[in-house]
């Protein structure tokens, strides 16, 4: 691979995060308008009584800065090591697709029967990326 294919999944994940932040703002604004919470309760970026509709989005955003941190690190390392071949890019897209699906379930039904397998798919895809990086470095 000769281009920046490894970075497109990273861009897609960043778009997901921005969408989640927009959704959080909309849901919080709706909650304030409905009178279920006061705007001032968000001053410290933590509202103990945050409505479930926006709380699940806030939690989903937090999830986008946990395991994905390892995704960004591995993606950049794969690119720098020139190990960003088709297999690595496919694994990266699987990871991002699983994060998108996981976030969708998280902010809609929040059903663990669906969320957990989606998390596992991303977890395994990311593990595959790290294994590929280790193999590449060991045998290059």
């Amino acid at each position: 691979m000769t281009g920046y294919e490894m970075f497109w999944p990273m861009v897609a994940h960043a778009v997901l995060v921005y969408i989640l932040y927009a959704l959080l703002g909309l849901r919080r604004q709706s909650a304030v308008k409905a009178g279920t919470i006061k705007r001032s309760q968000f001053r410290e970026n933590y509202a103990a009584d945050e409505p479930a509709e926006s709380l699940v989005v806030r939690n989903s955003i937090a999830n986008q800065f946990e395991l994905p941190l390892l995704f960004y690190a591995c993606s950049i390392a794969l690119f720098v090591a020139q190990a960003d071949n088709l297999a690595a890019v496919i694994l990266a897209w699987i990871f991002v697709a699983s994060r998108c699906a996981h976030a969708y379930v998280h902010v809609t039904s929040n059903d663990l029967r669906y969320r957990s397998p989606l998390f596992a798919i991303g977890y395994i895809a990311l593990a595959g990326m790290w294994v590929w990086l280790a193999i590449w470095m060991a045998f290059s």
Side-chain angles (χ1 to χ4, degrees):
M1 304 195 80
T2 59
Y4 300 107
E5 294 88 355
M6 197 72 227
F7 292 110
W8 286 112
M10 295 169 62
V11 170
H13 184 261
V15 169
L16 170 64
V17 172
Y18 276 96
I19 289 169
L20 288 171
Y21 272 116
L23 180 61
L24 178 62
L26 290 172
R27 289 199 179 172
R28 282 181 170 178
Q29 184 179 28
S30 294
V32 169
K33 284 183 180 179
T36 56
I37 196 163
K38 294 179 181 172
R39 185 175 307 277
S40 62
Q41 289 177 270
F42 295 114
R43 185 173 296 128
E44 300 300 322
N45 199 26
Y46 173 77
D49 299 328
E50 184 159 359
E53 295 80 22
S54 59
L55 180 61
V56 293
V57 180
R58 189 181 82 192
N59 290 342
S60 186
I61 290 169
N63 284 182
Q64 303 311 320
F65 293 97
E66 294 169 353
L67 193 60
L69 175 66
L70 294 175
F71 165 70
Y72 285 103
C74 189
S75 295
I76 293 167
L78 285 163
F79 181 79
V80 169
Q82 297 180 343
D84 56 335
N85 63 1
L86 183 60
V89 172
I90 289 171
L91 287 170
W93 278 115
I94 291 170
F95 177 80
V96 171
S98 74
R99 296 308 299 169
C100 290
H102 181 272
Y104 176 79
V105 171
H106 204 167
V107 302
T108 56
S109 69
N110 201 18
D111 191 333
L112 286 176
R113 291 177 300 165
Y114 303 112
R115 254 181 61 207
S116 293
L118 291 168
F119 178 86
I121 290 168
Y123 179 87
I124 292 166
L126 182 56
M129 290 171 65
W130 280 104
V131 167
W132 171 243
L133 177 62
I135 290 169
W136 180 269
M137 291 187 307
F139 296 104
S140 289

